[in-house]
Amino acid sequence: VQLQASGGGSVQAGGSLRLSCAASGGTLSRMTTGWFRQAPGKEREFVASIRRSLSSSTTHYADSVKNRFIISRDNAKNTVYLQMNSLKFEDTAVYYCGTTERHVAGLMIRADDYAYWGQGTQVTVSS
């Protein structure tokens, strides 16, 4: 499975961006997909996830982005999106999407839960 992340850029605090994670070689509706981010000098951290359709496409968010970010999936386009609103300076990071066919119990907030990764897209928020 190959993932292509896109949509990053520079935005002022309070602005919005929409990231895309397009897949080839696999069907995202049958997989759990997550967004993670990594700021300079920090470890990769969980942002949001969306379960496979068989698991009701359940979504989960990190507390730091809850009520600001929305994860969604377009099955026809085989793409997962991350709509980011009310962006803050601390949201600045490289954002990665990961996916896996494995059904893992729990919230799947660890990077090790995901088997395939995209290349990352930079999000820079200026205060």
Side-chain angles (χ1 to χ4, degrees):
V1 179
Q2 292 80 44
L3 300 177
Q4 180 72 38
S6 61
S10 297
V11 64
Q12 288 190 332
S16 298
L17 283 174
R18 189 178 78 159
L19 305 184
S20 299
C21 177
S24 59
T27 303
L28 290 182
S29 63
R30 299 176 183 173
M31 310 172 82
T32 294
T33 302
W35 284 98
F36 287 71
R37 65 188 181 187
Q38 188 166 16
K42 295 187 177 181
E43 293 188 354
R44 191 171 296 192
E45 66 172 359
F46 171 78
V47 175
S49 65
I50 183 166
R51 292 275 190 173
R52 60 186 181 175
S53 296
L54 274 178
S55 299
S56 304
S57 302
T58 302
T59 58
H60 180 63
Y61 298 91
D63 287 344
S64 59
V65 306
K66 203 171 291 183
N67 300 319
R68 298 191 298 123
F69 291 10
I70 301 171
I71 189 170
S72 62
R73 184 175 59 231
D74 185 329
N75 293 337
K77 295 183 178 180
N78 206 24
T79 299
V80 168
Y81 301 98
L82 185 68
Q83 177 67 43
M84 305 187 296
N85 302 318
S86 302
L87 282 161
K88 303 177 181 180
F89 174 76
E90 49 266 39
D91 294 319
T92 297
V94 177
Y95 283 70
Y96 299 88
C97 59
T99 197
T100 181
E101 306 100 329
R102 291 193 306 144
H103 179 61
V104 178
L107 297 176
M108 294 189 71
I109 62 173
R110 302 182 312 127
D112 287 347
D113 291 331
Y114 297 84
Y116 309 101
W117 290 92
Q119 83 287 4
T121 184
Q122 176 72 46
V123 172
T124 302
V125 184
S126 57
S127 57

